[in-house]
């Protein structure tokens, strides 16, 4: 009959193996995940795995104190597994930290382009965007601000934003408060056209999502226009 020591060690080894499998799932999910809310959920899960790993280390240390001679092969194997899972969590946490630092840098850069009254609205919107979406917005804004976009292209993008919003409203889909607030600004006739366009750019990721889900069919291929613009601007 297995001793209490053997049962504790086997239980510890099984738990570490389960968390290693779970960590692999999180690593794979984060590699392809775009939704910032789901990314945040995975980050919280990884933090919990860190706490579990700390508990496993404490359990291992207690078991090790009971050994008087050479550690068994199983003890050595558990030690290796503990080292591996801690290394993987460290690497994943460092990668996530770097991503969030870059996202925060992009977010600050975006907000600095707008006036104080607009920043609060746009800040709420950028919290829902991932790194690639904010990079796209920054690239388009750079192109507009440095006169790399023709008047015709700006008109097409602006019309695409306006028509998509109108189509959504006609379909009975209410925009979230922050998006609705930006929609009011871009439709304000007294504002400079280029400024209205710049205010509307952060709405584009949401509009593209709506187009995919609701098939808005506005007649203007906003996604293609943006891709062409980004490809041209990237090459300069």
């Amino acid at each position: 009959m297995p001793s209490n020591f053997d049962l504790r060690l086997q239980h510890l080894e099984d738990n570490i193996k389960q968390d290693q499998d779970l960590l692999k799932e999180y690593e794979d999910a984060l590699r392809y995940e775009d939704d910032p809310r789901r990314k945040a959920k995975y980050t919280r899960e990884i933090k919990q795995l860190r706490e579990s790993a700390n508990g496993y280390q404490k359990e291992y240390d207690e078991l090790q104190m009971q050994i008087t001679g050479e550690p068994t092969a199983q003890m050595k194997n558990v030690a290796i597994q503990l080292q591996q899972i801690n290394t993987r969590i460290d690497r994943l946490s460092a990668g996530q930290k770097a991503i969030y630092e870059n996202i925060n840098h992009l977010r600050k850069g975006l907000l600095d382009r707008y006036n104080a009254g607009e920043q609060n609205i746009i800040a709420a919107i950028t919290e829902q965007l991932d790194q690639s979406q904010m990079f796209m917005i920054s690239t388009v804004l750079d192109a507009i601000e440095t006169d790399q976009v023709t008047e015709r292209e700006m008109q097409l993008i602006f019309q695409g934003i306006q028509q998509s919003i109108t189509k959504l409203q006609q379909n009975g889909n209410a925009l979230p408060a922050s998006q609705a607030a930006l929609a009011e600004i871009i439709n304000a006739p007294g504002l400079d056209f280029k400024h209205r366009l710049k205010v509307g750019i952060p709405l584009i990721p949401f509009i593209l999502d709506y187009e995919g889900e609701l098939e808005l069919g506005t007649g203007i291929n906003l996604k293609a226009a943006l891709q062409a613009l980004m490809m041209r601007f990237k090459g300069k």
Side-chain angles (χ1 to χ4, degrees), residues 7-161:
L7 289 173
R8 286 178 64 187
L9 182 59
Q10 186 60 55
H11 184 64
L12 176 60
E13 187 173 28
D14 291 342
N15 284 340
I16 295 172
K17 178 63 169 62
Q18 289 176 9
D19 278 9
Q20 284 179 323
D21 293 340
L22 198 55
L23 186 57
K24 177 66 166 62
E25 291 181 18
Y26 295 156
E27 288 171 335
D28 292 342
L30 283 169
R31 190 173 296 117
Y32 303 107
E33 184 56 70
D34 290 328
D35 189 312
R37 288 165 296 186
R38 284 196 288 266
K39 279 192 172 184
K41 177 180 180 295
Y42 288 129
T43 301
R44 291 193 297 270
E45 297 290 350
I46 292 167
K47 185 178 180 181
Q48 290 180 359
L49 287 182
R50 166 76 76 189
E51 294 172 357
S52 295
N54 291 338
Y56 299 151
Q57 185 65 56
K58 182 179 179 181
E59 175 76 3
Y60 178 84
D61 292 342
E62 291 176 359
L63 291 174
Q64 192 174 39
M65 290 176 64
Q66 300 180 31
I67 299 175
T68 55
E70 180 73 16
T72 64
Q74 189 177 18
M75 280 290 288
K76 291 179 180 178
N77 184 56
V78 170
I80 292 171
Q81 290 178 330
L82 274 171
Q83 184 178 18
Q84 288 175 341
I85 195 169
N86 278 310
T87 299
R88 289 170 63 190
I89 291 174
D90 285 343
R91 185 169 59 242
L92 199 56
S93 296
Q96 288 303 107
K97 181 181 179 182
I99 288 172
Y100 283 122
E101 286 177 349
N102 192 38
I103 287 176
N104 287 334
H105 178 73
L106 285 170
R107 182 175 291 118
K108 184 180 183 304
L110 284 178
L111 295 180
D112 287 344
R113 300 172 188 264
Y114 300 96
N115 63 46
E118 296 160 351
Q119 284 181 359
N120 290 334
I121 303 170
I122 293 174
I125 285 180
T126 59
E127 290 292 338
Q128 304 171 58
L129 301 176
D130 62 29
Q131 186 174 5
S132 63
Q133 290 170 325
M134 283 198 286
F135 179 75
M136 181 272 289
I137 292 171
S138 295
T139 301
V140 174
L141 289 174
D142 283 341
I144 292 171
E145 290 173 352
T146 56
D147 297 322
Q148 303 288 332
V149 188
T150 67
E151 186 71 23
R152 174 60 178 163
E153 287 173 322
M154 287 195 292
Q155 289 287 352
L156 279 175
I157 294 171
F158 188 71
Q159 289 172 19
I161 295 171

Side-chain angles (χ1 to χ4, degrees), residues 148-204:
Q148 303 288 332
V149 188
T150 67
E151 186 71 23
R152 174 60 178 163
E153 287 173 322
M154 287 195 292
Q155 289 287 352
L156 279 175
I157 294 171
F158 188 71
Q159 289 172 19
I161 295 171
Q162 284 188 310
Q163 289 181 17
S164 296
I165 292 171
T166 300
K167 189 75 171 179
L168 280 167
Q169 293 170 337
Q170 290 175 346
N171 290 347
N173 295 285
L175 292 173
S178 56
Q179 296 178 35
L182 283 193
E184 288 184 12
I185 295 175
I186 68 171
N187 286 318
L191 292 179
D192 172 75
F193 166 71
K194 185 178 285 190
H195 184 74
R196 291 163 64 198
L197 173 61
K198 286 173 59 179
V199 170
I201 296 299
L203 288 173
I204 289 177

